[in-house]
Amino acid sequence: MVYGALEAGGTKMVCAIGDENGRIKDQVSIPTKTPEDTIPAIIEYFKDKNISALGIACFGPIDVDRASDEFGHILKTPKTPWIGYDIVGVMKEALGVPVGFDTDVNGSLLGEVTWGAAKGLTDALYITIGTGVGGGILSGGNLVHGMLHPELGHMKLIRHEADTFVGRCPFHKNCLEGLACGPAIEERWGKSAKELVDNDMVWEMESFYIAQALTNIILTISPKKIILGGGVMHQEQLFPLVRKKVLENLNGYLSTKELDDIDNYIVPAGLNDDQGIMGCIKLAIDASGLE
Ligand code: ADP
Ligand code: ZN
């Protein structure tokens, strides 16, 4: 079987085909402009590939409730041409195959749970720290959606005492995304993150925010594995700092085998930045059984 995968991001749409083992056979990237510009190119890519289902992991907010009239639509997003766009309906109509649909971060988490760092687990967390910050949650074997879907990137944080940066989120000045996304680092320090590798204070502050968020999430949803992905997490020096600060924050309150082995508890993504597109393949595989 050939499965179609569409990782719909704010800057690019990654289209791929893969097999039931998550192996990617072909992949292209199409810039995200307006739906009128972008969608025909995506349809053109998949049209003759004989896919049996399509999996879409999409930037949000989106409606992922299959029982809702708005299922498959993009909701009120800052990317205004896409507001209200029925991405699932349009792709289904054009390609005539079942379509699986979830958030971009749930897609990456699904890739990691199926083939990567959280393989086989029923409770796991994936956070991306990139242009924005978002998180996907698997709890009791289910990807969590709830009222809409989790928006972990906007949890409110206590500021680092030495941080004078105003924060980048227009809604909340002190949220995880506003304080810790890649562009926040670059605005705060006036240089690209890659040029700041040797500045210890940058990573001290960054790990302070990430660890604070992880501590809150550990205490709330109790994941068995935490995977940190996204461009900023290519700075590997962050991992030991984050692990240390999480343990300091918990201050001995929790005692679990996972926390005793924290190097294997808070880990980088395991699929070489293919977790998102591989997660889309899994969404397609699951959708082909649904319809
Ligand atoms: P996106 O979030 O748009 O899907 P990425 O996860 O690659 O894409 O995030 C891009 C952001 O991550 C950039 O804006 C930059 O701030 C940051 N970034 C990318 N590469 C690195 C790196 N090697 N080190 C630190 N920060 C990086
Ligand atoms: Zn925010």
Side-chain angles (χ1 to χ4, degrees), residues 7 35 39 45 64 76 79 95 101 114 130 134 143 161 163 172 197 207 214 229 246 261 263 278 281-282:
E7 194 181 5
I39 293 293
Y45 174 79
V64 292
K76 203 172 144 225
K79 303 169 202 14
L95 301 173
F101 187 57
T114 312
L143 292 169
E161 58 188 10
D163 190 6
H172 333 98
V197 176
S207 60
L214 292 190
V246 164
D261 185 19
D263 290 356
M278 291 174 76
I281 296 173
K282 179 68 165 107

Side-chain angles (χ1 to χ4, degrees), residues 205-232:
M205 220 175 252
E206 184 68 9
S207 60
F208 173 85
Y209 291 129
I210 297 169
Q212 202 183 139
L214 292 190
T215 306
N216 291 339
I217 299 168
I218 289 167
L219 293 167
T220 315
I221 63 156
S222 207
K224 290 183 179 167
K225 183 82 86 176
I226 294 176
I227 300 163
L228 300 176
V232 173

Side-chain angles (χ1 to χ4, degrees), residues 2 18 24 42 57 63 79 81 83-84 114 127 138 145 155 168 185 203 216 226 233 242 272 275 280 282 287:
V2 182
I24 299 162
I42 295 173
D63 190 335
K79 303 169 202 14
I83 294 175
T114 312
I127 295 200
L138 184 83
H145 298 130
M155 90 168 56
R168 230 184 159 268
I185 298 175
W203 310 108
N216 291 339
I226 294 176
M233 294 314 302
V242 167
N272 281 324
Q275 58 272 17
C280 295
K282 179 68 165 107

